[in-house]
Amino acid sequence: MKEKKNFLSGLNDQQKAAVENVDGPTLVVAGAGSGKTKVLTSKLAYLVQKKKAWANQILCVTFTNKAANEMRNRVIKILGGNLNSLGWLGTFHSISVKFLRRHAEAVGLKSNFTILDTQDQKKLIKNICNAENIDAKKISPQFIIAIIDNWKNKGLLPNEVRLTKKNIFETQILKVYKIYQNKIKELNSCDFGDLILYCVKLFENHEEIRNIYSNNFKYILVDEYQDTNFIQNKWLNLIVNKNKNICCVGDDDQSIYSWRGAEIKNFLNFDKIYTDAKIFRLEQNYRSTKNILDTASFLISHNKDRLGKKLWSEGKKGDLVKLNCYKNGKEEARALGNTIEENIKRKDSLNEIAILVRAIYQTREFEERFLKIGLNYRIIGGIKFYERAEVKDAICYLRIVNQKFDDLAFERIINTPRRGIGDATIKHLHELSSTEKICLEDAARKLLELNKFKPKIKTLIKHLLELIDKWRVDLKKIKHFDLLKLILDESGYSAMLKNKKDLENENRIENLKELLRAMHDYDNLQGFLEHVALATSIDQKWEDERINIMTIHAAKGLEFNTVFLPGWEEGLFPHQKSLEEKGDLALEEERRLAYVGITRAKKNAHISFAMQRAWHGEWMDTLPSRFVGELPEEAIEKNEEPVKEVSDDFDFNQDNLIEDNEEYRSPGWARLKKKLLK
């Protein structure tokens, strides 16, 4: 009862003012760690408690079901009871479904319409492409879905799309879009993009329906407003009531999702859309030390397109933010491992340590280092490097070149990239292999000799086997990493990635480049394949706790005691491709990304860059990120001397694993050796 009565007493002055201002449009600029969710939850509870509105008269929109459930539970805790009437708290999509179930006929659907998932979409798009003779090898269904979704996020149905000259595939995709949209209507279905788009069309074309909701919703609350796209913002503007009682909470300095349609101008122009808007700034941070906040605030102050705020804390000044320069990426990974070892000695939890990278391929060097010294880790929002599909494909090609008895490798590459070799052919190979007690490759050669394949399949398998024979000869003449380049080109794998329009292909290509870089550390193919085998087989459940490795994008909303931010170099961070595509707009978003990374740290932040990175087997000089020069001198501690290069802890050589006469090893070496000897 005490909590119910005094829940506002736990708010600071800024938070309380934002909560108690209920009339008219309100924008709450909530800095990182400033209690954004607390304010939004308290405001919802305050409206109900003060009888400003019944619970079912408040529309509260979040971006995730997790956030919605968290808010619902907090409100119940504050007010007590079971708020079943809080039915309009949810995501944009879940609330849109409620609207459409009630008014489906108005948009050409029946109330029992189904919602297609991604797999359903892919299947339907693929069928349409086949019927229209559109080459799925050049334009993937996934890419088509992404373009269609982008159009829907801009509020465009097929007849409203105006083609540009930027994308040569748009004409074909628009054709698919028209057929696709008609087809799903026939199926009494819609996709996730339709849910919000149809609601907007519903409210635009049926004023009487729109008035039902704008009159019912006395208050609208919006979480993470900086992440809204065009259609979501329009959705909100259409149903806001005549009193314009809308409260949007977010942080323009954490707007990092333009690549998936988020428009920061929604946030920046809020007071232009609602000219009588009140703006509240939540600047007191409850997460990080003063030095971390000063570093983040000074960095983000270089952005021009922002409303502006300065985070502060009543907490400790804390350690200076560490800025370290290393000789190369390998030394960077080594140093991070050593620092984490020191944290372990202080009994710090691995779960409270995070490594945040700009690009997912950067995880490889850290993964390998941690495997070497026996530190347990997890990849959040992604897959471990050697388990990524394109990396496994490339390695399987190398494995079959290395030795023909590797049936698992042969089966993986026989139709990768797709050559038209189906399951029936593979089944035939397995049957002969089992009967004759021979490997799959020999089975394929024997069936060729016996002329047991259909002409087309015969040609395809003969060509593949000839390539494998050639690559085995090539391996005797050229380096193993140069061989992989040949394999990727001659197998058609490179062409598949380069020619196929797929949003994930850029990452796939970068991962393969990183694989090539990794191969340069080994003298021969056999040594590299042994390394991969051991790296992927080491038990990663040695300890319950794990270091968290993820991209900065994936880290938004999370916090850790210690955060490492490696790879702060020009071209990598800020990312060169982003700068080339969007110029200054991209630069500001990259800086916001850096701000998000720094503010994930509660106690310690480590920023680092390398003087050299491996590129196609050659060491290339790098420049520190321009963001390094934008850090405040008084809040950082510089280590400008590159770490002295030392020999590797070990090379995954089983013969050396239990030798006692080794040179100095890290604590992780002893831990690993102990595990291996069990």
Side-chain angles (χ1 to χ4, degrees):
M1 205 62 186
K2 186 176 179 182
E3 183 179 10
K4 178 179 176 181
K5 186 178 179 180
N6 299 318
F7 72 92
L8 290 181
S9 64
L11 304 176
N12 63 40
D13 291 342
Q14 293 171 313
Q15 293 171 331
K16 193 174 180 181
V19 168
E20 292 180 333
N21 182 79
V22 297
D23 298 322
T26 304
L27 182 67
V28 181
V29 185
S34 63
K36 164 182 68 65
T37 304
K38 186 177 183 179
V39 166
L40 201 61
T41 304
S42 299
K43 195 176 188 79
L44 198 161
Y46 181 80
L47 291 170
V48 176
Q49 190 189 60
K50 293 295 182 180
K51 295 183 170 54
K52 295 288 185 178
W54 297 106
N56 62 4
Q57 294 176 314
I58 302 171
L59 173 64
C60 187
V61 189
T62 67
F63 269 82
T64 65
N65 289 318
K66 181 182 177 183
N69 291 331
E70 184 181 342
M71 282 191 64
R72 183 177 287 105
N73 292 333
R74 287 193 185 189
V75 172
I76 292 171
K77 188 177 180 182
I78 292 172
L79 297 179
N82 184 7
L83 290 183
N84 291 323
S85 60
L86 202 63
W88 295 104
L89 192 164
T91 64
F92 279 99
H93 291 98
S94 67
I95 293 170
S96 293
V97 170
K98 289 187 177 183
F99 290 148
L100 293 177
R101 293 290 184 203
R102 296 180 177 188
H103 310 285
E105 290 78 8
V107 294
L109 295 170
K110 296 176 182 177
S111 61
N112 63 343
F113 64 85
T114 57
I115 303 170
L116 302 181
D117 61 22
T118 304
Q119 291 304 315
D120 294 330
Q121 286 180 276
K122 284 183 180 178
K123 187 176 181 180
L124 184 54
I125 294 286
K126 190 175 181 180
N127 291 340
I128 295 170
C129 287
N130 289 337
E132 298 298 319
N133 294 316
I134 295 172
D135 191 353
K137 293 181 179 178
K138 292 184 177 180
I139 314 177
S140 74
Q142 187 175 341
F143 182 74
I144 293 173
I145 291 169
I147 297 297
I148 291 174
D149 195 53
N150 184 52
W151 282 330
K152 290 183 177 182
N153 287 340
K154 292 178 180 177
L156 303 174
L157 287 169
N159 64 320
E160 298 169 320
V161 174
R162 298 294 178 264
L163 296 178
T164 66
K165 296 181 180 180
K166 292 182 179 179
N167 194 316
I168 61 174
F169 300 103
E170 280 191 346
T171 303
Q172 287 179 298
I173 296 173
L174 180 57
K175 184 180 180 181
V176 173
Y177 184 16
K178 291 176 180 177
I179 299 170
Y180 168 79
Q181 209 62 20
N182 288 332
K183 185 64 178 177
I184 60 176
K185 271 287 185 70
E186 290 173 8
L187 297 171
N188 190 36
S189 302
C190 62
D191 59 30
F192 279 94
D194 289 327
L195 295 176
I196 301 175
L197 176 58
Y198 281 167
C199 281
V200 167
K201 300 300 182 185
L202 174 71
F203 297 144
E204 285 182 328
N205 300 327
H206 300 273
E207 187 177 357
E208 72 283 2
I209 295 175
R210 184 179 76 219
N211 288 337
I212 292 172
Y213 295 103
S214 62
N215 291 331
N216 177 73
F217 297 133
K218 290 187 175 181
Y219 296 93
I220 297 176
L221 309 179
V222 187
D223 191 20
E224 302 287 4
Y225 184 57
Q226 79 281 346
D227 292 334
T228 55
N229 57 30
F230 172 84
I231 200 69
Q232 290 166 337
N233 198 48
K234 193 169 185 177
W235 184 97
L236 289 166
N237 294 337
L238 282 168
I239 58 173
V240 69
N241 62 21
K242 61 181 180 181
N243 294 322
K244 299 179 181 178
N245 291 333
I246 182 170
C247 175
C248 296
V249 181
D251 184 3
D252 52 325
D253 290 334
Q254 296 189 70
S255 179
I256 58 174
Y257 296 124
S258 67
W259 50 274
R260 66 184 190 193
E263 296 190 359
I264 191 174
K265 66 181 181 182
N266 293 341
F267 197 98
L268 298 177
N269 294 338
F270 185 86
D271 60 347
K272 294 180 178 65
I273 298 171
Y274 303 102
T275 53
D276 54 342
K278 292 182 180 179
I279 299 177
F280 296 86
R281 288 173 170 80
L282 306 185
E283 298 175 309
Q284 185 175 357
N285 177 282
Y286 294 92
R287 175 188 299 156
S288 308
T289 65
K290 290 180 180 179
N291 278 321
I292 291 172
L293 295 178
D294 288 347
T295 300
S297 295
F298 192 81
L299 174 66
I300 200 62
S301 69
H302 291 79
N303 273 6
K304 295 178 181 178
D305 290 331
R306 60 190 296 263
L307 295 181
K309 62 181 175 302
K310 182 172 175 62
L311 297 179
W312 61 277
S313 172
E314 290 182 343
K316 297 179 180 178
K317 197 168 183 65
D319 293 339
L320 295 172
V321 173
K322 305 297 191 297
L323 176 63
N324 295 309
C325 169
Y326 299 109
K327 180 178 179 180
N328 51 49
K330 186 177 276 189
E331 290 302 318
E332 185 177 50
R334 184 192 305 277
L336 264 64
N338 290 343
T339 302
I340 292 170
E341 293 283 7
E342 292 299 317
N343 287 12
I344 293 173
K345 290 179 182 178
R346 297 195 302 266
K347 307 297 182 184
D348 289 356
S349 169
L350 291 183
N351 292 333
E352 286 292 334
I353 298 173
I355 297 174
L356 310 183
V357 297
R358 175 60 181 86
I360 193 64
Y361 72 84
Q362 290 176 261
T363 69
R364 197 266 307 174
E365 284 186 312
F366 301 106
E367 288 187 60
E368 297 212 1
R369 181 62 189 171
F370 296 160
L371 287 168
K372 286 183 177 183
I373 63 174
L375 284 175
N376 213 11
Y377 69 92
R378 63 171 69 89
I379 303 292
I380 294 180
I383 302 170
K384 293 179 179 179
F385 183 80
Y386 288 114
E387 294 174 6
R388 294 168 193 168
E390 60 279 2
V391 174
K392 290 177 73 172
D393 291 341
I395 288 171
C396 280
Y397 269 106
L398 293 170
R399 281 166 51 183
I400 200 64
V401 169
N402 186 56
Q403 64 106 352
K404 69 177 183 179
F405 300 103
D406 195 333
D407 283 355
L408 292 174
F410 187 80
E411 187 170 355
R412 185 175 182 103
I413 63 101
I414 192 172
N415 199 42
T416 304
R418 294 190 181 278
R419 302 184 174 90
I421 301 173
D423 293 340
T425 301
I426 295 170
K427 184 180 178 182
H428 198 180
L429 292 175
H430 274 290
E431 288 172 348
L432 183 63
S433 172
S434 178
T435 304
E436 300 286 334
K437 308 296 182 188
I438 57 178
C439 64
L440 289 180
E441 183 183 323
D442 284 345
R445 295 182 186 278
K446 189 164 186 175
L447 289 172
L448 275 178
E449 291 174 6
L450 298 172
N451 202 28
K452 294 293 184 179
F453 292 121
K454 293 179 180 179
K456 183 180 178 181
I457 299 298
K458 179 181 178 181
T459 302
L460 292 168
I461 290 183
K462 184 181 178 185
H463 179 62
L464 176 62
L465 292 173
E466 287 173 349
L467 282 175
I468 291 172
D469 289 337
K470 174 186 175 299
W471 294 330
R472 286 170 180 160
V473 173
D474 289 337
L475 181 58
K476 298 175 182 178
K477 304 175 184 176
I478 61 177
K479 291 288 187 179
H480 51 295
F481 41 79
D482 290 327
L483 175 66
L484 180 56
K485 294 178 188 176
L486 273 181
I487 290 173
L488 293 174
D489 289 340
E490 295 177 352
S491 68
Y493 204 97
S494 293
M496 176 189 73
L497 294 182
K498 291 175 182 177
N499 297 334
K500 191 174 183 179
K501 284 292 181 179
D502 190 312
L503 295 181
E504 298 297 322
N505 272 2
E506 185 178 334
N507 282 337
R508 295 187 184 109
I509 292 169
E510 288 300 325
N511 283 331
L512 289 174
K513 290 179 180 178
E514 186 63 26
L515 178 65
L516 284 165
R517 287 192 282 270
M519 292 179 70
H520 283 79
D521 292 338
Y522 298 86
D523 294 332
N524 52 58
L525 179 59
Q526 184 72 38
F528 174 69
L529 291 176
E530 285 178 4
H531 161 73
V532 173
L534 287 164
T536 54
S537 66
I538 288 178
D539 183 9
Q540 273 289 295
K541 297 181 179 179
W542 294 346
E543 301 170 12
D544 291 329
E545 295 187 351
R546 303 185 182 196
I547 301 163
N548 303 282
I549 307 176
M550 71 197 84
T551 63
I552 305 175
H553 283 102
K556 189 172 177 292
L558 304 178
E559 59 183 42
F560 306 91
N561 284 340
T562 301
V563 169
F564 294 92
L565 296 156
W568 279 41
E569 297 135 30
E570 282 295 303
L572 179 54
F573 196 28
H575 201 279
Q576 187 62 34
K577 189 172 185 295
S578 296
L579 297 183
E580 290 172 353
E581 291 180 350
K582 297 181 180 178
D584 289 343
L585 291 176
L587 177 60
E588 294 218 342
E589 181 157 337
E590 292 283 303
R591 191 176 283 114
R592 291 196 293 270
L593 194 58
Y595 170 86
V596 168
I598 295 170
T599 54
R600 298 314 91 194
K602 293 192 286 186
K603 296 180 180 179
N604 295 285
H606 302 255
I607 298 169
S608 59
F609 60 93
M611 296 189 300
Q612 291 182 324
R613 294 279 177 189
W615 185 255
H616 297 301
E618 301 291 329
W619 288 108
M620 304 292 291
D621 291 339
T622 60
L623 292 173
S625 168
R626 68 192 72 186
F627 299 154
V628 170
E630 296 174 356
L631 301 175
E633 293 282 343
E634 64 277 7
I636 62 173
E637 178 185 316
K638 293 182 180 180
N639 170 24
E640 297 181 344
E641 294 297 321
V643 175
K644 184 179 179 182
E645 187 172 12
V646 295
S647 59
D648 276 341
D649 281 347
F650 64 95
D651 297 318
F652 280 116
N653 186 329
Q654 292 279 19
D655 293 333
N656 296 328
L657 284 180
I658 57 175
E659 294 293 328
D660 293 325
N661 60 346
E662 299 285 351
E663 55 187 298
Y664 170 75
R665 308 292 185 184
S666 73
W669 161 251
R671 180 170 57 251
L672 177 65
K673 186 161 66 172
K674 184 177 179 182
K675 293 289 182 181
L676 291 169
L677 289 172
K678 282 186 176 179

